[in-house]
Amino acid sequence: MIVAANPGAGYRALKAEIDAAVARTLESGWYILGQEIKAFETEFATWLGAAKAVGCGNGTDAIALALRALGIGPGCAVATVSHTAVATVAAVEMVGATPVLIDIDPDHFTMDPTDLAATLANPPAGLPPIKAVLPVHLYGQAADLDAIGVLCQRYGLTLIEDCAQAHGATWSGKKVGTFGDAATFSFYPTKNLGALGDGGAVALPSDSMADRVAALRQYGWRTHYISDDVGMNSRLDEIQAAILRVKLVHLDAANARRQAIAAVYDAALGGTAIRPPARRPNAGHVFHLYVVRVSNREAVQTGLRAAGIGSGIHYPQPVHIQPAYRGRVALGAAGCRATEAAAMEVLSLPLYPELTNGEVDQVASALRRL
Ligand SMILES: *Cc1c(COP(=O)(O)O)cnc(C)c1O
């Protein structure tokens, strides 16, 4: 069976280096906020091209920390999308802000700037004012940062990029995560940069904002035992930081491998009824997921399964339809119609850097035969 994602293969590919990093950390006797996280934060910020990065417990907390550090909370609405990991929307509510779910551009699956513009011009009644925009660079491809950036400037809105699926993705040649007032990353094991447990980070354009996030992640402390802010506890532990330092060195190569596999799938899908992922001309796509559109999804999934090939659906239900959110979360002007249509048709093919060429060819020939 060729599985859709395989974090264990990611570990085995770097086993000697990772085991050494873990052993070094265990021997150090220092397990929380020590040298490993300090080094990882510096290395990650340098790799990204951001002034600072602050490690935290996971990608959901990263969004919550960024929102709080930028003063977004109760009395603020945040425009984001419904076609995303539920974590994006959960984080907005965690800080007491109100999500407004904007529709997606059906070709690229990211926030539709036309719907964002319509919603900002005519916000849903009864909501607090929209103060921030939280686009998601979904599946490894940037949202339209030019159009979204223009709207944020025009309306004086905070821009936070959810980069949980887009480590290394670019927009106009620059890495995503360097465009907004803050950017958030998840290091969940299957992400392009994955820990072997939970992890996350917030990237920031200034030292002062980074200090703010660093305080919030640990009880609001700037000095031990003295809380300046009401904080939380969301730390990236030393063992995960040490593992991430190993993985970061190999991230660009891993993303290149993802792109090479995507090119093989693209070629295999030519002339089939399965629609390969569309690329934005100025976006460098890093293929966290390779998501096709099919009208007969169940049949395609069954056919793949019969050929020993797993697949996934990201995501089967838009956030605004899930039981916890249905009927109470605000939608933008377009009413998320493109979102609902996409959820019926998206299918994620197996994609991770350790797939062998033989396995990739096996998927490609199964796709041609379907
Ligand atoms: C994975 C993910 C998150 C949440 O990350 P966790 O580390 O699981 O908390 C947030 N947003 C998006 C788009 C994600 O894919």
Side-chain angles (χ1 to χ4, degrees), residues 278-300:
R279 319 290 205 276
R280 288 209 156 86
N282 41 350
H285 197 320
V286 289
F287 292 96
H288 169 57
L289 295 167
Y290 186 95
V291 177
V292 299
R293 266 188 99 134
V294 273
S295 49
N296 58 337
R297 179 167 67 194
E298 238 170 83
V300 171

Side-chain angles (χ1 to χ4, degrees), residues 58-60 63 84-85 87-88 136 162 164-165 186 188 191 198-199 315:
N58 56 68
T60 312
I63 299 170
T84 182
T88 311
V136 180
D162 182 346
Q165 303 192 0
S186 164
Y188 183 82
K191 307 280 163 132
D198 273 314
Y315 296 89

Side-chain angles (χ1 to χ4, degrees), residues 36-116:
E36 297 294 337
I37 187 173
K38 204 173 286 171
F40 172 68
E41 288 173 340
T42 303
E43 289 157 9
F44 187 68
T46 302
W47 170 84
L48 186 64
K52 279 278 157 89
V54 179
C56 64
N58 56 68
T60 312
D61 285 354
I63 299 170
L65 286 164
L67 288 165
R68 284 211 45 205
L70 287 158
I72 307 295
C76 306
V78 176
T80 187
V81 288
S82 189
H83 187 68
T84 182
V86 72
T88 311
V89 180
V92 172
E93 292 201 332
M94 265 169 69
V95 303
T98 305
V100 183
L101 303 183
I102 304 299
D103 209 355
I104 53 166
D105 147 10
D107 292 325
H108 308 99
F109 305 110
T110 53
M111 181 181 279
D112 177 4
T114 309
D115 188 32
L116 178 63

Side-chain angles (χ1 to χ4, degrees), residues 2-231:
I2 300 176
V3 295
N6 193 344
Y11 165 60
R12 283 187 294 278
L14 299 172
K15 180 173 162 49
E17 281 181 78
I18 290 173
D19 287 356
V22 171
R24 174 185 75 224
T25 308
L26 291 174
E27 288 296 337
S28 77
W30 196 291
Y31 307 116
I32 292 289
L33 299 190
Q35 292 308 311
E36 297 294 337
I37 187 173
K38 204 173 286 171
F40 172 68
E41 288 173 340
T42 303
E43 289 157 9
F44 187 68
T46 302
W47 170 84
L48 186 64
K52 279 278 157 89
V54 179
C56 64
N58 56 68
T60 312
D61 285 354
I63 299 170
L65 286 164
L67 288 165
R68 284 211 45 205
L70 287 158
I72 307 295
C76 306
V78 176
T80 187
V81 288
S82 189
H83 187 68
T84 182
V86 72
T88 311
V89 180
V92 172
E93 292 201 332
M94 265 169 69
V95 303
T98 305
V100 183
L101 303 183
I102 304 299
D103 209 355
I104 53 166
D105 147 10
D107 292 325
H108 308 99
F109 305 110
T110 53
M111 181 181 279
D112 177 4
T114 309
D115 188 32
L116 178 63
T119 307
L120 291 171
N122 193 8
L127 283 195
I130 297 174
K131 297 283 197 190
V133 182
L134 174 58
V136 180
H137 303 309
L138 200 75
Y139 305 151
Q141 179 161 238
D144 184 344
L145 284 166
D146 291 348
I148 293 168
V150 165
L151 289 167
C152 286
Q153 287 220 315
R154 183 178 312 155
Y155 287 89
L157 307 178
T158 297
L159 173 62
I160 300 173
E161 300 171 73
D162 182 346
C163 302
Q165 303 192 0
H167 319 68
T170 58
W171 178 255
S172 299
K174 193 161 116 82
K175 285 200 181 82
V176 303
T178 58
F179 288 83
D181 299 289
T184 65
F185 291 84
S186 164
F187 306 125
Y188 183 82
T190 58
K191 307 280 163 132
N192 292 46
L193 179 59
L196 302 178
D198 273 314
V202 186
L204 298 141
S206 74
D207 290 5
S208 58
M209 282 305 301
D211 289 346
R212 186 104 215 269
V213 172
L216 289 171
R217 81 169 162 198
Q218 181 168 245
Y219 323 127
W221 287 357
R222 282 190 174 78
T223 312
H224 260 53
Y225 311 118
I226 307 294
S227 296
D228 289 330
D229 275 314
V230 176

